[in-house]
Structure formats: C-alpha cells, structure tokens
Amino acid sequence: MRRHRLSAVLVAVWLGAGACATAPGDGDASLADEGGTAPGLIAPGAGPGVPLVPDLSPGQRPALATDEAGWWMVMDRTESKLKTAGNLVRDEALNRYVKGIVCRLAGPYCPDIRVYLLRVPYFNASMAPNGVMVVWTGLLLRTRNEAQLAAVLGHELGHYLRRHTLHRWRDAKSTTNALIFFQIGAALGGVPVAGQIASLIAMGSITAFSRDQERESDRMGLRLMAEIGYDPRESAKLWQNLIREDEADEDKKTRFIFFSTHPAPEERSETLKRLAEDALKASPAVETGDERFRNIVLPHRQEYLRDELRLRRFSRSEELLKMLLEDGVDAGELHFFRGELYRLRGKKADGDKEGDTDDKDKALAAYAKALDAGGAPPEIHRSMGLIYLKSGQSEKAWAAFAKYLELSPDADDLEIIKSMMQPMG
Amino acid sequence: MLGRGGLITVLIFSLALAGCEVASFYAKEKLERGNKTAHVLLMTPDVQLGEVTAGGLVEPNAEWTAIAEKHVVAALKEQLAKRKSRLVLYRSPKADTPKARIHTQLIKLHNAVGSSILLHKFASPPLPTKEDKFDWTLGPQARIVGHEYGADYALFVYLRDTYTSPGRVAVMVLAAVLGVGVPGGAQIGFASLVDLKTGDVLWFSRLARASGDLRTPSAAAESVKTLLKDFPL
C-alpha cells in the first residue's frame, strides 16, 4: 500500500482499507471443534477455544447515531468514488465469477457485500465495514486456483463478519486517549521522555492487535472455504508462494516486520497448514476449482503480466513467472513474458556466475521456448526484432518485424515499426 | 502531490497562522448579468462532521452530517436568493451511463484543479506562472453540464466541521497548564464558482476557523454567509 504522510490521513486510510483490530488473543482453538456459523449471534470477542461467530447479522446496518454509522458513511462515499474509478475492472464474466465465490462463502451475508476489482499490480484485497470488498488484479495474478482465491476472499469476509474496523477504531481511540493523558501526567511530573516511550508502546500495541485480527480472519476464512468444499490446504500454499516471491526480492524493501499489519508470513503459513489438517479431519474438502479459474481468470493474465513487468521489480517477477510455469498452463505465454523481463532488464552476464549469459540471450532463448510452446502474442516478433536490431543483425530484425506486422496488421505502432525497417543511410 | 485529506490537514495546521477566517480569490470582483436572474447549479455538497477525541483522532458522525447537509443547502438557497440568483440542485445521473461518465470527469477535474488552487494559492508557495493571476479553468466541456440544467454557473462546496469532545476539553485545559496549545474542533471548507460557458473558475473561497457549528440552522447560515463573503454574484 502507498504510504501516506500525515497521521490523520493514515488513520482514515488504515481504517478504510478494511484493516483490523480486536479480540483478545484467539489462541489455539482448533477448527474441528467449532460449530457451524450462527448468523445473528453477537459474539463478545473470541477467547481461546471460543468458536468464532459473526459479530453482526445479515442485512444489519448501524443506527445513525453510532460511531459505526460514521465509518459506514465515510466508506459509502469512498464506494461512490470506486464506482467511477478509472482502473475499475468492468469485465462482466470476471466480476460475476469473483462475486459468485464471495456469495458462496458469505452465505446469508451475500447481499451485504459488494465486490470491486481494481487494476492494480500488487497483491492485495481489502474489506470495508460497509461491505465493500476491493480486490486488486495483482492478487488474481498470484492465486493459482479458485480455492486460493477463495482463501483470500474468505479472509476478507472474516474482517467484515467480525467487524474488525469498528473494533480497531474503538481500540485506537482508547489507546490514543490513554496515551495523551499519560503524556500530560508524565510532563506534569517532569518526565518528558516517558511520553515518547509510551507513544512507541502504543503504536506497537495497535499493530499487535491488528495482527490478532488478521489471525482471526485467517481462521474464519479457512473455515468458510472448507465448509463449501474448497481444499483448505490451498490457503497455506498461497502464503508459501508469496514467501517464495518475497525471498527472491533482491531489494528486500517490502518486508518490515514491526509495522507490518499481518502476522509474519512464515508463522501464518504454518498456522494455516495446521488448521487445514484439523479442518480436513472434520470434513474432507478437496475442491480446487482449477478449470473454472483457468477459463475465467487466465484469459486476463497477459494484461496482468504486462502490468507486473512495468513495476520493474525483476527479481520478484522472475520468481513469480517461474512458479506460474510450474503449473504449466499456457507455457508459451509465460515464456514470452520471461523473455520480456530479460529484454527490459538488459543485464550483462554475471562473470562470477558460471554459465550466466547476457539478458538479451536469455530473452532470445525464452522467446524460442515461447514460439515452440505456442500461445505467445504477436509482439514476440517485435521484441525479437528489437533485440536483433540492437545487436546489429538488421536482416534478422526486419524479418521479425515483418512477421509481427503480418500477424497484427492493425498494430498501433505500425508506422514506427515500418520506419525501423528502412535501411539506414 | 498531497491527497485531499493531506491538503485539509495542511490547512488545519495553517489555521493558527492565518490571520483571517475566510480568504478568497476571484477572476472578476463582480459578475455582469444585467437584470437576469443567475442560475447556479449546486453540485452535491461534500459535508462531513465529526468529533475530536481526547487523543486527537476525528470520529466521523453520520447523524450530524445528515443534519448539516440539510442546513447547508437551505442556507445556500437563502444566500443566493438575496443575490437575485436561483439555486438549482444537482442530481447525479444513473451510474455507468455515458452522461454519468461526463459528469464524473468534470467533478474529478474540479477536484484536481481545486486542490491545486488550495495548495498554491492558500498554503504553499505559488506556482510561478500563476503568482499574480487567477485564471484556472476546467475547459469548455463544462458547457455540457450547464446546458443540461439550464444553469449559468456551478457552485462546489466542501465543508469539514469537528467538535471538541469533553475528553478533549480536559486535555486542552491540562495542556494549557503546561503552556502547550492543543487544538480542539475546527471548521474548514472551501467553495468555488465555475462559469458553465467557459469552464473558468471565477471565484474560490476558503474558510478555516476554530468556531462555528453546522448542526443548528442559524449557526450553519452564519458559516455559509462567511464562506460566501466576496461572492461575485
């Protein structure tokens, strides 16, 4: 998420983005001994061993005079802006598909949830207290089947069903209230430094609470997905894949544990694995929904991969493409984007690494694989042409450009390419 | 660039430094219109009320906001009637229609232009090309909306009003003992008038003060009157 400068904005955004915060430690309650969801029951925070039940009933709206209504109002306004967002994904089939999964997970709460898909190339989804769920396309690129997508959607629903935003707001309010009186007391007692220490502790406790909420949502999401037959083990797999991508990141900029709002990914993945085993003992759920996912989400993958490469975080993207290739679906397309990655990175061979080659050679090798496998877009010939041109092989370049224009005669860059095909001089 | 929320925060901080409650810029001091009644299209006012907690967070309040929206519209109607102008209320067209898309673009463009005016005319150093000028415009496309409503001008209003909670009052008193000033509730906002024939921003006014109350009709009327001081109609 983008970082905002000012604390007031930060608080608003942080709450709006369906972040989180309540419930004294949810401990080790296993999924197996939890009953089914009991809509309409109001649960006063789930302690260890206490089953997680929704904190609001279907169709529930807050009374106008409450703090909750205030946040609903703020998010209703944000929602009206979302509806006209330039990067809103309008593809009907895709929207229907994601909303359909949400509906099956949400059961009687389905009419309370609105899903907005936004074209943003990072892995994220968020849940607002008024039922607005936002899913970014960078997430659709990384979930590998319907069950993994359901795992995230179920997690977000967990935030809604447990009214995490409201609890976090109340928590932030009482924390900051206590803090300011402590600061004044400390200052009156002549200890100005104590105030700063307290402020640090308070910040820590706000994020710690939010991690508890994330854990709670993880459990809730896992149960929701298992109840309607999705293989709960897919949830941990998704997190493992994200960890792999994170570890491949040469910049290591993305991990900052203290302020990260989610539990440490390794811990999360381990917990999810354990909870999945428990859930499987209770009821065998094995559906992964591979085929539907392939038919509806994967046709958009080229678009998402283009967005991904524009971020120029090549080490991450390289690992991501490697993982996607493990599934082997539309390998030609994936090899093409591997080629694009190397072409855009344009690194020289690492002399210390045995057998390492220049990126342009890696790119050409990847393009060759792509052509072999089939399914790469026509631009592959343009990309090859550009590499040949750069390395002085004009004849080869022109042949590649000609092939590109033959395959896409209406290309936007038709004139540019034609001009590049004129012999120099 | 700062987002809207960031700008507002900047304005709150500049509140203490600002000498006056309201300040405005205009392209023309008075708009010529002969004996004709001017039709002013009021774009949906963006009003939000909330309470400052002891710790300094702002809790939005839906009930107060709903009340304030009514008072603000009523007060604007009254103010314009005094200026031989008529207020026409804007209604958002059905979402996702071509009409809605055109309107949305105009509103978003005004948000962007308005943010620049706020930032460069009221808060930070002025843009070198606009230092002594007030010539901001949304472009002639604004005509489409004007034509639809038979309106001459569009009026955009943005108001944020916060109130000091009892806990915050205690903090303010205790901090005062220490010689530290802690802010309580504040009323901030802006209004802008756009020519719907040319798209030019004719007038832009900013209100920033530690008093006012949009929850009662008379105090809301006073706020709107203050905001519209120097209104060119």
Side-chain angles (χ1 to χ4, degrees):
Chain A
M1 277 210 64
R2 219 171 281 159
R3 279 172 194 96
H4 292 256
R5 279 134 282 213
L6 298 153
S7 60
V9 188
L10 191 70
V11 170
V13 169
W14 153 61
L15 282 158
C20 334
T22 187
D26 55 82
D28 275 323
S30 90
L31 279 161
D33 53 40
E34 288 176 21
T37 34
L41 276 180
I42 303 297
V50 175
L52 278 179
V53 292
D55 196 20
L56 79 175
S57 37
Q60 184 175 321
R61 289 194 67 90
L64 195 61
T66 57
D67 53 351
E68 192 174 14
W71 287 112
W72 277 55
M73 167 185 75
V74 170
M75 292 318 295
D76 284 348
R77 291 171 177 203
T78 305
E79 183 176 7
S80 67
K81 286 184 190 142
L82 265 178
K83 282 182 179 152
T84 60
N87 60 346
L88 185 71
V89 175
R90 294 173 192 277
D91 184 274
E92 255 181 62
L94 192 60
N95 274 288
R96 213 181 311 121
Y97 176 65
V98 177
K99 173 75 195 191
I101 302 171
V102 168
C103 263
R104 276 185 289 133
L105 289 162
Y109 294 88
C110 165
D112 303 337
I113 311 292
R114 278 95 57 215
V115 182
Y116 296 88
L117 303 179
L118 290 187
R119 189 163 165 185
V120 182
Y122 297 96
F123 182 95
N124 205 10
S126 64
M127 186 77 231
N130 64 339
V132 168
M133 187 192 277
V134 174
V135 179
W136 289 358
T137 49
L139 186 149
L140 296 176
L141 177 62
R142 286 168 174 83
T143 49
R144 305 267 281 276
N145 55 38
E146 196 173 293
Q148 292 190 4
L149 178 55
V152 188
L153 301 175
H155 170 94
E156 296 306 325
L157 280 172
H159 287 313
Y160 176 78
L161 295 173
R162 299 286 296 159
R163 291 202 289 181
H164 281 163
T165 305
L166 176 70
H167 296 303
R168 185 169 189 187
W169 167 250
R170 288 180 179 165
D171 201 56
K173 202 162 75 169
S174 58
T175 307
T176 50
N177 283 354
L179 180 65
I180 197 142
F181 284 113
F182 180 81
Q183 276 176 325
I184 288 171
L188 284 171
V191 205
V193 186
Q196 287 165 21
I197 295 168
S199 129
L200 203 66
I201 294 168
M203 281 304 290
S205 85
I206 289 174
T207 42
F209 265 116
S210 106
R211 285 185 203 160
D212 279 343
Q213 289 187 322
E214 295 296 343
R215 291 189 185 101
E216 197 175 90
S217 276
D218 275 348
R219 284 175 58 208
M220 196 98 185
L222 201 78
R223 193 180 67 195
L224 292 177
M225 74 183 284
E227 268 175 6
I228 55 170
Y230 287 118
D231 187 341
R233 287 169 298 194
E234 290 298 321
S235 182
K237 280 190 198 161
L238 170 65
W239 290 110
Q240 276 163 349
N241 291 341
L242 293 175
I243 294 168
R244 239 180 95 178
E245 194 183 314
D246 226 25
E247 281 169 354
D249 191 345
E250 282 165 1
D251 298 334
K252 297 276 179 243
K253 273 185 205 146
T254 41
R255 304 186 72 185
F256 191 42
I257 299 301
F258 184 72
F259 283 109
S260 97
T261 54
H262 288 70
E266 291 82 2
E267 175 215 305
R268 180 180 220 169
S269 168
E270 281 312 306
T271 312
L272 284 169
K273 227 189 258 178
R274 194 167 42 78
L275 291 173
E277 293 309 324
D278 291 344
L280 281 174
K281 273 180 226 152
S283 59
V286 290
E287 201 195 344
T288 53
D290 286 15
E291 206 181 317
R292 281 188 301 268
F293 188 83
R294 278 173 196 181
N295 290 338
I296 298 165
V297 179
L298 292 200
H300 301 276
R301 195 166 66 177
Q302 287 194 13
E303 211 176 298
Y304 305 158
L305 282 169
R306 278 195 185 93
D307 292 348
E308 168 72 23
L309 290 187
R310 279 192 196 106
L311 299 176
R312 303 187 73 84
R313 17 177 234 179
F314 297 127
S315 48
R316 289 188 82 104
S317 305
E318 191 178 11
E319 189 64 25
L320 173 66
L321 283 165
K322 206 189 220 175
M323 286 191 281
L324 294 176
L325 270 165
E326 283 163 16
D327 287 347
V329 186
D330 294 336
E333 173 182 297
L334 295 168
H335 282 301
F336 164 68
F337 282 102
R338 267 185 56 241
E340 289 293 270
L341 186 151
Y342 297 129
R343 183 176 67 83
L344 294 169
R345 191 172 66 178
K347 224 171 59 179
K348 291 269 170 226
D350 183 349
D352 296 334
K353 242 196 251 166
E354 207 183 322
D356 197 31
T357 54
D358 286 357
D359 270 348
K360 70 174 168 56
D361 297 319
K362 282 188 191 152
L364 286 174
Y367 292 142
K369 275 192 184 168
L371 288 174
D372 216 33
E379 295 101 276
I380 190 169
H381 298 287
R382 181 183 62 191
S383 295
M384 289 166 72
L386 288 169
I387 293 181
Y388 290 137
L389 201 64
K390 249 187 162 176
S391 44
Q393 298 169 272
S394 341
E395 303 264 313
K396 269 178 138 177
W398 295 341
F401 288 147
K403 183 82 184 163
Y404 167 60
L405 293 182
E406 180 198 323
L407 291 174
S408 53
D410 302 321
D412 289 341
D413 54 359
L414 180 84
E415 294 303 326
I416 300 175
I417 297 296
K418 273 189 182 164
S419 76
M420 286 161 105
M421 291 168 74
Q422 302 299 321
M424 297 291 266
Chain B
M1 225 207 94
L2 288 168
R4 174 68 66 77
L7 270 172
I8 295 312
T9 317
V10 168
L11 289 176
I12 294 174
F13 286 127
S14 64
L15 187 65
L17 307 169
C20 47
E21 290 187 343
V22 65
S24 60
F25 290 92
Y26 40 79
K28 265 193 205 134
E29 201 169 338
K30 212 76 200 162
L31 299 169
E32 299 298 329
R33 61 195 152 112
N35 283 329
K36 259 182 68 198
T37 303
H39 288 76
V40 178
L41 177 65
L42 176 64
M43 306 308 286
T44 313
D46 186 349
V47 179
Q48 200 171 293
L49 276 68
E51 187 175 54
V52 182
T53 67
L57 303 178
V58 174
E59 181 166 283
N61 189 303
E63 192 179 26
W64 296 347
T65 302
I67 293 168
E69 278 169 345
K70 288 202 186 89
H71 293 336
V72 167
V73 173
L76 284 166
K77 257 187 193 155
E78 197 190 312
Q79 281 298 320
L80 284 170
K82 279 184 188 160
R83 292 169 161 89
K84 292 208 179 58
S85 307
R86 186 179 300 152
L87 200 69
V88 184
L89 295 185
Y90 174 79
R91 300 255 175 262
S92 308
K94 204 171 162 287
D96 247 345
T97 55
K99 197 201 260 183
R101 277 193 277 277
I102 292 171
H103 288 203
T104 304
Q105 287 310 315
L106 188 77
I107 294 167
K108 284 184 179 177
L109 182 58
H110 178 267
N111 276 349
V113 173
S115 297
S116 294
I117 296 176
L118 266 178
L119 189 62
H120 297 291
K121 282 287 179 192
F122 294 93
S124 60
L127 291 174
T129 53
K130 296 216 183 274
E131 208 159 347
D132 314 308
K133 282 192 266 179
F134 191 79
D135 62 348
W136 309 76
T137 187
L138 306 185
Q141 288 285 315
R143 189 177 301 158
I144 299 172
V145 176
H147 188 72
E148 202 174 304
Y149 283 88
D152 306 301
Y153 309 102
L155 178 62
F156 292 80
V157 174
Y158 175 98
L159 282 162
R160 290 289 177 274
D161 206 1
T162 53
Y163 305 92
T164 314
S165 64
R168 187 66 173 176
V169 173
V171 169
M172 290 164 79
V173 169
L174 285 171
V177 172
L178 292 163
V180 179
V182 171
Q187 187 173 70
I188 53 169
F190 59 80
S192 88
L193 189 71
V194 174
D195 187 330
L196 286 178
K197 283 182 189 71
T198 59
D200 294 352
V201 181
L202 299 169
W203 165 86
F204 197 99
S205 170
R206 185 211 64 179
L207 176 75
R209 56 184 187 173
S211 59
D213 188 342
L214 296 175
R215 295 171 299 183
T216 62
S218 57
E222 187 272 332
S223 289
V224 168
K225 194 178 163 199
T226 309
L227 185 65
L228 295 192
K229 188 175 165 269
D230 301 328
F231 192 64
L233 280 173

